[in-house]
Amino acid sequence: MYNSHNDFQQTNVVNEYLQEGIGGVTEMFKNRITIPFEGSYQLFKHVIAHELGHAIINDMIYGGSLQSMITNGISLELPLWFNEGICEYESGGRLGIRIPTCSSAT
């Protein structure tokens, strides 16, 4: 956990640049969660639940880490839209993000 988004962007947990809109990261190699606290407990709770969803999916589908994925020969890769969607749904998704349904499209 980091005190600010600026500190979060400087993490060495992941090798990618973390843009301003990224609220947290669950990296695959050791299944670690990295998140910044930006002052809002509601947002923080949502991001924790979202990232824990990724950790659970990584554990259930891939065996918990990139190493076990390679060792066990797991070649399944969940689509990004599914992985993010299920984590957003399970974390509550109540931060003003409205996902249209088929009934609302008519």
Side-chain angles (χ1 to χ4, degrees):
M1 184 172 88
Y2 293 92
N3 249 353
S4 69
H5 202 280
N6 190 36
D7 292 344
F8 171 67
Q9 286 178 314
Q10 297 175 30
T11 185
N12 62 359
V13 172
V14 292
N15 292 329
E16 301 168 15
Y17 174 72
L18 302 172
Q19 297 176 353
E20 193 65 35
I22 296 176
V25 172
T26 303
E27 60 92 24
M28 187 70 176
F29 189 68
K30 292 184 179 178
N31 208 20
R32 293 182 286 186
I33 296 173
T34 307
I35 52 175
F37 178 70
E38 300 185 58
S40 167
Y41 286 106
Q42 180 184 6
L43 178 63
F44 189 60
K45 182 179 175 181
H46 173 78
V47 172
I48 288 173
H50 182 95
E51 295 305 325
L52 282 173
H54 286 301
I56 291 168
I57 288 173
N58 290 347
D59 194 50
M60 290 174 59
I61 303 295
Y62 305 117
S65 69
L66 186 60
Q67 182 179 8
S68 63
M69 183 178 166
I70 293 168
T71 302
N72 296 324
I74 299 170
S75 61
L76 174 69
E77 186 174 343
L78 293 176
L80 181 62
W81 63 266
F82 179 80
N83 198 333
E84 289 297 330
I86 198 74
C87 291
E88 187 64 26
Y89 178 79
E90 289 298 325
S91 67
R94 296 183 190 97
L95 294 174
I97 301 168
R98 187 169 121 11
I99 300 172
T101 60
C102 292
S103 61
S104 67
T106 57

